[in-house]
Short mmCIF file of all heavy atoms in Angstrom, two decimals:
data_model
loop_
_atom_site.label_atom_id
_atom_site.label_comp_id
_atom_site.label_asym_id
_atom_site.label_seq_id
_atom_site.Cartn_x
_atom_site.Cartn_y
_atom_site.Cartn_z
N ARG A 1171 19.05 18.25 7.34
CA ARG A 1171 19.20 19.40 8.24
C ARG A 1171 18.41 19.15 9.52
O ARG A 1171 17.61 18.22 9.58
CB ARG A 1171 18.66 20.67 7.57
CG ARG A 1171 19.40 21.08 6.32
CD ARG A 1171 20.67 21.81 6.67
NE ARG A 1171 21.45 22.16 5.50
CZ ARG A 1171 21.34 23.30 4.84
NH1 ARG A 1171 20.44 24.19 5.20
NH2 ARG A 1171 22.11 23.54 3.81
N HIS A 1176 16.67 20.05 3.29
CA HIS A 1176 16.96 21.31 2.62
C HIS A 1176 16.12 21.41 1.35
O HIS A 1176 16.15 20.49 0.53
CB HIS A 1176 18.45 21.37 2.31
CG HIS A 1176 18.90 22.71 1.82
ND1 HIS A 1176 19.64 22.87 0.68
CD2 HIS A 1176 18.72 23.94 2.33
CE1 HIS A 1176 19.89 24.15 0.51
NE2 HIS A 1176 19.35 24.82 1.50
N LEU A 1179 18.96 24.44 -3.53
CA LEU A 1179 20.43 24.42 -3.63
C LEU A 1179 20.97 25.65 -2.93
O LEU A 1179 20.36 26.71 -3.01
CB LEU A 1179 20.86 24.49 -5.11
CG LEU A 1179 20.34 23.43 -6.07
CD1 LEU A 1179 20.82 23.75 -7.48
CD2 LEU A 1179 20.81 22.04 -5.65
N ASP A 1180 22.11 25.52 -2.29
CA ASP A 1180 22.83 26.70 -1.83
C ASP A 1180 23.98 26.91 -2.80
O ASP A 1180 24.87 26.05 -2.92
CB ASP A 1180 23.39 26.49 -0.41
CG ASP A 1180 22.31 26.60 0.65
OD1 ASP A 1180 21.17 27.00 0.30
OD2 ASP A 1180 22.60 26.30 1.82
N HIS A 1226 17.98 34.59 1.11
CA HIS A 1226 19.14 35.22 1.77
C HIS A 1226 19.69 36.39 0.95
O HIS A 1226 20.88 36.67 0.97
CB HIS A 1226 20.26 34.20 2.04
CG HIS A 1226 19.80 32.96 2.74
ND1 HIS A 1226 19.12 33.00 3.94
CD2 HIS A 1226 19.91 31.65 2.42
CE1 HIS A 1226 18.83 31.76 4.31
NE2 HIS A 1226 19.29 30.92 3.41
N HIS A 1280 25.66 33.36 0.25
CA HIS A 1280 25.27 32.38 -0.76
C HIS A 1280 23.85 32.70 -1.23
O HIS A 1280 23.14 33.48 -0.60
CB HIS A 1280 25.35 30.94 -0.22
CG HIS A 1280 24.25 30.56 0.73
ND1 HIS A 1280 24.27 30.86 2.07
CD2 HIS A 1280 23.08 29.90 0.52
CE1 HIS A 1280 23.18 30.39 2.65
NE2 HIS A 1280 22.43 29.81 1.73
N HIS A 1282 20.28 30.92 -1.84
CA HIS A 1282 19.44 29.72 -1.70
C HIS A 1282 18.46 29.74 -2.87
O HIS A 1282 17.73 30.70 -3.04
CB HIS A 1282 18.71 29.76 -0.35
CG HIS A 1282 17.72 28.66 -0.18
ND1 HIS A 1282 18.03 27.47 0.43
CD2 HIS A 1282 16.43 28.57 -0.58
CE1 HIS A 1282 16.95 26.69 0.41
NE2 HIS A 1282 15.96 27.34 -0.20
ZN1 ZN B 1875 19.68 26.96 1.63
#
Side-chain angles (χ1 to χ4, degrees):
R1171 297 280 177 91
H1176 189 231
L1179 303 176
D1180 284 351
H1226 309 305
H1280 74 277
H1282 173 93

